[in-house]
Coordinates of all heavy atoms in Angstrom, one line a residue:
T1 N -199.8 78.6 -26.7 CA -200.6 77.4 -26.5 C -200.3 76.8 -25.1 O -201.0 75.8 -24.8 CB -200.2 76.4 -27.6 OG1 -198.8 76.0 -27.5 CG2 -200.5 76.9 -29.0
G2 N -199.3 77.3 -24.4 CA -199.1 76.7 -23.1 C -198.1 75.6 -23.1 O -197.8 75.0 -22.0
N3 N -197.5 75.2 -24.3 CA -196.6 74.1 -24.3 C -195.3 74.4 -23.5 O -194.8 73.5 -22.8 CB -196.2 73.7 -25.7 CG -197.4 73.2 -26.5 OD1 -198.3 72.6 -26.0 ND2 -197.3 73.3 -27.8
S4 N -194.8 75.6 -23.6 CA -193.6 75.9 -22.9 C -193.8 75.9 -21.4 O -193.0 75.5 -20.6 CB -193.0 77.3 -23.3 OG -192.6 77.2 -24.6
L5 N -195.0 76.4 -21.0 CA -195.4 76.4 -19.5 C -195.5 75.0 -19.0 O -195.0 74.7 -17.9 CB -196.7 77.2 -19.3 CG -197.2 77.2 -17.9 CD1 -196.2 77.9 -17.0 CD2 -198.5 77.9 -17.8
A6 N -196.1 74.1 -19.8 CA -196.2 72.7 -19.4 C -194.9 72.1 -19.2 O -194.6 71.3 -18.3 CB -197.1 71.9 -20.4
V7 N -193.9 72.3 -20.2 CA -192.6 71.8 -20.1 C -191.9 72.3 -18.8 O -191.2 71.6 -18.1 CB -191.8 72.1 -21.4 CG1 -190.3 71.8 -21.2 CG2 -192.4 71.3 -22.5
A8 N -192.0 73.7 -18.6 CA -191.3 74.3 -17.5 C -191.9 73.7 -16.2 O -191.1 73.4 -15.2 CB -191.5 75.8 -17.5
N9 N -193.2 73.5 -16.1 CA -193.7 72.9 -14.9 C -193.3 71.5 -14.7 O -193.0 71.1 -13.5 CB -195.3 73.0 -14.9 CG -195.8 74.4 -14.6 OD1 -195.2 75.1 -13.8 ND2 -196.9 74.8 -15.3
S10 N -193.2 70.7 -15.7 CA -192.7 69.4 -15.6 C -191.3 69.3 -15.2 O -190.9 68.5 -14.3 CB -192.8 68.7 -17.0 OG -192.3 67.4 -17.0
I11 N -190.4 70.2 -15.7 CA -189.0 70.2 -15.3 C -188.9 70.6 -13.8 O -188.2 70.0 -13.0 CB -188.2 71.2 -16.2 CG1 -188.1 70.6 -17.6 CG2 -186.8 71.4 -15.6 CD1 -187.5 71.6 -18.6
A12 N -189.7 71.6 -13.4 CA -189.7 72.1 -12.0 C -190.1 71.0 -11.1 O -189.5 70.8 -10.0 CB -190.6 73.3 -11.9
E13 N -191.1 70.3 -11.5 CA -191.6 69.2 -10.6 C -190.6 68.1 -10.5 O -190.4 67.6 -9.4 CB -192.9 68.6 -11.3 CG -193.5 67.5 -10.4 CD -194.8 66.9 -11.1 OE1 -195.5 67.7 -11.7 OE2 -194.9 65.7 -11.0
Q14 N -189.9 67.8 -11.5 CA -188.8 66.7 -11.5 C -187.6 67.2 -10.7 O -187.0 66.4 -10.0 CB -188.4 66.3 -12.9 CG -189.5 65.6 -13.6 CD -189.1 65.2 -15.0 OE1 -188.0 64.9 -15.3 NE2 -190.1 65.3 -16.0
L15 N -187.3 68.5 -10.7 CA -186.1 69.0 -10.0 C -186.5 69.2 -8.5 O -185.6 69.1 -7.6 CB -185.7 70.3 -10.6 CG -185.0 70.2 -11.9 CD1 -184.7 71.6 -12.4 CD2 -183.8 69.3 -11.9
G16 N -187.7 69.4 -8.2 CA -188.2 69.7 -6.8 C -187.7 71.0 -6.3 O -186.7 71.6 -6.8
D17 N -188.3 71.6 -5.3 CA -188.0 72.8 -4.7 C -187.6 73.9 -5.7 O -186.6 74.6 -5.6 CB -186.8 72.6 -3.8 CG -186.6 73.8 -2.8 OD1 -187.6 74.5 -2.6 OD2 -185.4 74.1 -2.4
T18 N -188.4 74.1 -6.7 CA -188.2 75.1 -7.7 C -189.5 75.9 -7.9 O -190.6 75.5 -7.5 CB -187.8 74.5 -9.1 OG1 -188.8 73.6 -9.5 CG2 -186.5 73.7 -9.0
Q19 N -189.3 77.0 -8.6 CA -190.4 78.0 -8.8 C -190.4 78.3 -10.3 O -189.4 78.6 -10.9 CB -190.2 79.2 -8.0 CG -191.3 80.2 -8.1 CD -191.0 81.5 -7.3 OE1 -189.9 81.7 -6.8 NE2 -192.0 82.3 -7.2
V20 N -191.6 78.2 -10.9 CA -191.7 78.6 -12.3 C -192.3 80.1 -12.3 O -193.3 80.4 -11.7 CB -192.7 77.7 -13.1 CG1 -193.0 78.2 -14.5 CG2 -192.2 76.3 -13.1
I21 N -191.6 80.9 -13.1 CA -192.0 82.3 -13.1 C -192.2 82.7 -14.6 O -191.3 82.4 -15.4 CB -190.9 83.2 -12.5 CG1 -190.7 82.9 -11.1 CG2 -191.2 84.7 -12.7 CD1 -189.4 83.5 -10.5
S22 N -193.3 83.3 -14.9 CA -193.6 83.7 -16.3 C -192.8 84.9 -16.6 O -192.7 85.9 -15.9 CB -195.1 84.1 -16.3 OG -195.4 84.8 -17.5
I23 N -192.1 84.9 -17.8 CA -191.3 86.0 -18.2 C -192.1 87.3 -18.4 O -191.8 88.4 -18.0 CB -190.5 85.7 -19.5 CG1 -189.4 84.7 -19.1 CG2 -189.9 86.9 -20.1 CD1 -188.6 84.2 -20.3
S24 N -193.3 87.1 -19.0 CA -194.2 88.3 -19.2 C -194.6 88.9 -17.9 O -194.6 90.2 -17.8 CB -195.4 87.9 -20.1 OG -196.2 86.9 -19.4
K25 N -194.9 88.2 -16.9 CA -195.2 88.7 -15.6 C -194.0 89.3 -14.9 O -194.0 90.3 -14.2 CB -195.9 87.7 -14.7 CG -197.3 87.3 -15.2 CD -197.9 86.3 -14.4 CE -199.3 85.9 -14.9 NZ -199.9 84.7 -14.2
A26 N -192.9 88.6 -15.0 CA -191.6 89.0 -14.3 C -191.0 90.2 -14.9 O -190.3 91.0 -14.2 CB -190.6 87.9 -14.4
S27 N -191.3 90.5 -16.1 CA -190.8 91.7 -16.8 C -191.3 93.0 -16.2 O -190.7 94.0 -16.3 CB -191.2 91.7 -18.3 OG -190.5 90.6 -18.9
N28 N -192.5 92.9 -15.5 CA -193.1 94.0 -14.9 C -192.9 94.1 -13.4 O -193.5 94.9 -12.7 CB -194.6 94.0 -15.2 CG -194.9 94.1 -16.6 OD1 -194.2 94.8 -17.4 ND2 -195.9 93.4 -17.1
S29 N -192.0 93.2 -12.9 CA -191.8 93.2 -11.4 C -190.4 93.6 -11.1 O -189.6 94.0 -11.9 CB -192.1 91.8 -10.9 OG -191.1 90.9 -11.4
E30 N -190.1 93.6 -9.8 CA -188.8 93.9 -9.3 C -187.8 92.9 -9.7 O -188.1 91.8 -10.0 CB -188.8 94.0 -7.7 CG -189.7 95.0 -7.2 CD -189.2 96.4 -7.5 OE1 -188.0 96.7 -7.4 OE2 -190.0 97.3 -7.8
P31 N -186.5 93.3 -9.8 CA -185.4 92.3 -10.1 C -185.4 91.1 -9.2 O -185.8 91.2 -8.0 CB -184.1 93.2 -10.0 CG -184.6 94.6 -10.1 CD -186.0 94.6 -9.5
F32 N -184.9 90.0 -9.7 CA -184.8 88.8 -8.9 C -183.4 88.7 -8.3 O -182.4 89.1 -8.9 CB -185.0 87.6 -9.8 CG -186.4 87.5 -10.3 CD1 -186.7 87.9 -11.6 CD2 -187.4 87.0 -9.5 CE1 -188.0 87.9 -12.0 CE2 -188.7 87.0 -9.9 CZ -189.0 87.4 -11.2
D33 N -183.3 88.1 -7.2 CA -182.0 87.7 -6.6 C -181.7 86.3 -7.1 O -182.4 85.3 -6.7 CB -182.1 87.7 -5.0 CG -180.9 87.2 -4.3 OD1 -179.8 87.0 -5.0 OD2 -181.0 87.0 -3.1
L34 N -180.6 86.2 -7.9 CA -180.3 84.9 -8.5 C -179.2 84.2 -7.8 O -178.8 83.1 -8.2 CB -179.9 85.1 -9.9 CG -181.0 85.6 -10.8 CD1 -180.5 85.8 -12.2 CD2 -182.2 84.7 -10.8
I35 N -178.6 84.8 -6.7 CA -177.5 84.2 -6.0 C -178.0 82.9 -5.3 O -179.0 82.8 -4.7 CB -177.0 85.1 -4.9 CG1 -176.4 86.4 -5.6 CG2 -175.9 84.4 -4.1 CD1 -176.0 87.5 -4.7
D36 N -177.2 81.8 -5.5 CA -177.5 80.5 -5.0 C -178.8 79.9 -5.5 O -179.5 79.1 -4.9 CB -177.5 80.5 -3.5 CG -176.2 80.8 -2.9 OD1 -175.2 80.5 -3.5 OD2 -176.2 81.4 -1.8
K37 N -179.2 80.3 -6.8 CA -180.4 79.7 -7.4 C -180.1 79.0 -8.7 O -179.1 79.3 -9.3 CB -181.4 80.9 -7.7 CG -181.7 81.8 -6.6 CD -183.0 81.5 -6.1 CE -183.2 82.4 -4.9 NZ -184.4 82.9 -4.5
K38 N -180.9 78.0 -8.9 CA -180.8 77.3 -10.2 C -181.7 78.1 -11.2 O -182.9 78.3 -10.8 CB -181.2 75.9 -10.1 CG -180.4 75.0 -9.3 CD -180.9 73.6 -9.1 CE -180.1 72.8 -8.2 NZ -180.7 71.5 -7.9
V39 N -181.2 78.4 -12.3 CA -182.0 79.2 -13.3 C -182.0 78.5 -14.6 O -181.0 78.1 -15.1 CB -181.5 80.6 -13.4 CG1 -182.3 81.4 -14.5 CG2 -181.4 81.3 -12.1
G40 N -183.2 78.4 -15.2 CA -183.4 77.8 -16.5 C -184.4 78.6 -17.3 O -185.2 79.3 -16.7
F41 N -184.3 78.6 -18.6 CA -185.3 79.3 -19.4 C -185.9 78.4 -20.4 O -185.2 77.6 -21.1 CB -184.6 80.5 -20.2 CG -183.9 81.5 -19.3 CD1 -182.5 81.4 -19.0 CD2 -184.6 82.5 -18.8 CE1 -181.9 82.3 -18.2 CE2 -184.0 83.4 -17.9 CZ -182.7 83.3 -17.6
V42 N -187.2 78.4 -20.4 CA -188.0 77.6 -21.4 C -188.8 78.5 -22.2 O -189.6 79.4 -21.7 CB -188.9 76.6 -20.6 CG1 -189.8 75.8 -21.6 CG2 -188.1 75.7 -19.7
F43 N -188.6 78.4 -23.5 CA -189.4 79.3 -24.4 C -189.5 78.6 -25.8 O -188.7 77.7 -26.1 CB -188.7 80.7 -24.6 CG -187.2 80.6 -24.9 CD1 -186.8 80.5 -26.2 CD2 -186.2 80.6 -23.9 CE1 -185.4 80.4 -26.5 CE2 -184.9 80.5 -24.2 CZ -184.5 80.4 -25.5
P44 N -190.5 79.0 -26.6 CA -190.6 78.4 -27.9 C -189.5 78.9 -28.9 O -188.9 80.0 -28.7 CB -192.0 79.0 -28.4 CG -192.2 80.2 -27.6 CD -191.5 80.0 -26.3
D45 N -189.2 78.1 -29.8 CA -188.2 78.4 -30.9 C -188.9 79.0 -32.1 O -189.8 78.3 -32.7 CB -187.5 77.2 -31.2 CG -186.5 77.3 -32.3 OD1 -186.1 78.5 -32.6 OD2 -186.1 76.3 -32.9
Y46 N -188.7 80.3 -32.4 CA -189.3 80.9 -33.5 C -188.3 80.9 -34.7 O -187.5 81.8 -34.8 CB -189.8 82.3 -33.2 CG -190.9 82.4 -32.2 CD1 -191.0 83.4 -31.3 CD2 -191.9 81.4 -32.1 CE1 -192.0 83.5 -30.4 CE2 -192.9 81.4 -31.2 CZ -193.0 82.5 -30.4 OH -194.0 82.5 -29.5
Y47 N -188.4 79.9 -35.6 CA -187.5 79.9 -36.7 C -186.0 80.1 -36.4 O -185.3 80.9 -36.9 CB -187.9 80.9 -37.8 CG -189.4 80.8 -38.2 CD1 -190.3 81.7 -37.7 CD2 -189.7 79.8 -39.1 CE1 -191.7 81.5 -38.1 CE2 -191.1 79.6 -39.4 CZ -192.0 80.5 -39.0 OH -193.3 80.4 -39.3
A48 N -185.6 79.3 -35.4 CA -184.2 79.3 -34.9 C -183.8 80.6 -34.2 O -182.6 80.9 -34.1 CB -183.3 78.9 -36.0
C49 N -184.8 81.3 -33.7 CA -184.5 82.6 -33.0 C -185.2 82.6 -31.7 O -186.2 82.0 -31.5 CB -185.0 83.8 -33.8 SG -184.1 84.0 -35.4
I50 N -184.6 83.4 -30.7 CA -185.1 83.6 -29.4 C -186.2 84.7 -29.5 O -185.9 85.7 -30.1 CB -184.1 84.0 -28.4 CG1 -183.0 82.8 -28.2 CG2 -184.7 84.3 -27.1 CD1 -181.9 83.2 -27.4
P51 N -187.4 84.5 -29.0 CA -188.4 85.5 -29.0 C -187.8 86.8 -28.4 O -187.1 86.8 -27.4 CB -189.5 85.0 -28.2 CG -189.3 83.5 -28.2 CD -187.9 83.3 -28.3
S52 N -188.2 88.0 -28.9 CA -187.7 89.3 -28.5 C -188.0 89.5 -27.0 O -187.1 90.1 -26.3 CB -188.3 90.4 -29.3 OG -189.7 90.4 -29.2
I53 N -189.1 89.1 -26.4 CA -189.4 89.3 -25.0 C -188.4 88.5 -24.2 O -187.9 89.0 -23.1 CB -190.8 88.9 -24.6 CG1 -191.1 89.3 -23.2 CG2 -191.1 87.4 -24.8 CD1 -192.6 89.2 -22.8
V54 N -187.9 87.4 -24.6 CA -187.0 86.6 -23.9 C -185.6 87.3 -23.9 O -184.9 87.3 -22.9 CB -186.9 85.1 -24.4 CG1 -185.8 84.3 -23.7 CG2 -188.2 84.4 -24.3
K55 N -185.2 87.7 -25.1 CA -183.9 88.5 -25.3 C -183.9 89.7 -24.3 O -182.9 89.9 -23.6 CB -183.8 89.0 -26.7 CG -183.4 87.9 -27.7 CD -183.2 88.5 -29.0 CE -182.9 87.5 -30.1 NZ -182.8 88.1 -31.4
R56 N -185.0 90.4 -24.3 CA -185.0 91.6 -23.4 C -184.9 91.2 -22.0 O -184.2 91.9 -21.2 CB -186.3 92.4 -23.7 CG -186.2 93.3 -24.9 CD -187.4 94.3 -25.0 NE -188.7 93.7 -24.8 CZ -189.5 93.2 -25.7 NH1 -189.0 93.1 -27.0 NH2 -190.6 92.6 -25.5
F57 N -185.6 90.2 -21.6 CA -185.6 89.8 -20.2 C -184.3 89.3 -19.8 O -183.7 89.7 -18.7 CB -186.7 88.7 -20.0 CG -186.8 88.2 -18.6 CD1 -187.4 88.9 -17.6 CD2 -186.2 87.0 -18.2 CE1 -187.5 88.5 -16.3 CE2 -186.3 86.5 -16.9 CZ -187.0 87.3 -16.0
I58 N -183.6 88.4 -20.5 CA -182.3 87.9 -20.2 C -181.3 89.0 -20.2 O -180.4 89.0 -19.3 CB -182.0 86.7 -21.1 CG1 -182.9 85.5 -20.9 CG2 -180.5 86.3 -20.9 CD1 -182.7 84.4 -21.8
S59 N -181.3 89.9 -21.1 CA -180.3 90.9 -21.2 C -180.4 91.9 -20.0 O -179.5 92.6 -19.6 CB -180.4 91.7 -22.5 OG -181.6 92.5 -22.5
G60 N -181.6 91.9 -19.3 CA -181.8 92.8 -18.1 C -181.4 92.1 -16.8 O -181.5 92.8 -15.8
I61 N -181.0 90.9 -16.8 CA -180.7 90.2 -15.6 C -179.2 90.4 -15.2 O -178.3 90.3 -16.1 CB -180.9 88.7 -15.7 CG1 -182.4 88.4 -15.9 CG2 -180.4 87.9 -14.5 CD1 -182.7 86.9 -16.2
N62 N -179.0 90.7 -14.0 CA -177.6 90.9 -13.5 C -177.1 89.5 -13.0 O -177.5 89.0 -12.0 CB -177.5 91.9 -12.4 CG -176.1 92.1 -11.8 OD1 -175.2 91.5 -12.3 ND2 -176.0 93.0 -10.9
F63 N -176.2 88.9 -13.7 CA -175.6 87.6 -13.4 C -174.3 87.7 -12.6 O -173.7 86.7 -12.4 CB -175.4 86.8 -14.6 CG -176.7 86.3 -15.3 CD1 -177.2 86.9 -16.4 CD2 -177.4 85.2 -14.8 CE1 -178.3 86.5 -17.0 CE2 -178.5 84.8 -15.4 CZ -179.0 85.4 -16.5
S64 N -173.9 88.9 -12.2 CA -172.7 89.0 -11.4 C -172.8 88.3 -10.1 O -173.8 88.3 -9.4 CB -172.3 90.5 -11.2 OG -173.3 91.1 -10.4
G65 N -171.7 87.6 -9.8 CA -171.7 86.8 -8.5 C -172.4 85.5 -8.6 O -172.4 84.7 -7.7
V66 N -172.9 85.1 -9.8 CA -173.5 83.8 -10.0 C -172.5 82.8 -10.5 O -171.7 83.1 -11.4 CB -174.7 83.9 -11.0 CG1 -175.3 82.6 -11.3 CG2 -175.8 84.9 -10.5
Q67 N -172.4 81.7 -9.8 CA -171.5 80.7 -10.3 C -172.1 79.8 -11.3 O -173.3 79.4 -11.2 CB -171.1 79.8 -9.1 CG -170.3 80.6 -8.0 CD -169.9 79.7 -6.9 OE1 -170.3 78.5 -6.8 NE2 -169.0 80.2 -6.0
Y68 N -171.4 79.4 -12.3 CA -171.9 78.6 -13.4 C -171.5 77.2 -13.2 O -170.6 76.8 -12.7 CB -171.3 79.1 -14.8 CG -171.7 80.5 -15.1 CD1 -170.9 81.5 -14.8 CD2 -172.9 80.7 -15.7 CE1 -171.2 82.8 -15.1 CE2 -173.3 82.0 -16.0 CZ -172.4 83.1 -15.7 OH -172.8 84.3 -16.0

């Protein structure tokens, strides 16, 4: 329905200097450089579970060298 995208865009606008990337589009692209980046994930809640596409995407990210 686009609710998650609207929320992500609103958060990005309030934080400034951010980029919203679609997980479905990013899944088919090159890996991202997350060093010195703020990263957040916005997705719908399906009966208290993370959608499978989100699980696959997050599990494929290399977070080594990222400070929390």
Side-chain angles (χ1 to χ4, degrees):
T1 63
N3 292 335
S4 295
L5 178 60
V7 169
N9 284 327
S10 177
I11 292 169
E13 182 180 322
Q14 291 177 37
L15 292 175
D17 193 28
T18 59
Q19 179 181 14
V20 174
I21 300 170
S22 165
I23 287 177
S24 60
K25 291 178 183 175
S27 296
N28 298 322
S29 68
E30 294 295 317
F32 294 99
D33 174 12
L34 298 178
I35 297 172
D36 297 327
K37 305 258 175 147
K38 295 177 185 174
V39 178
F41 300 95
V42 177
F43 52 86
D45 175 17
Y46 293 148
Y47 304 103
C49 294
I50 296 174
S52 59
I53 188 172
V54 177
K55 284 183 188 179
R56 283 192 307 273
F57 182 76
I58 292 174
S59 68
I61 297 174
N62 180 358
F63 289 99
S64 64
V66 176
Q67 295 180 351
Y68 297 97

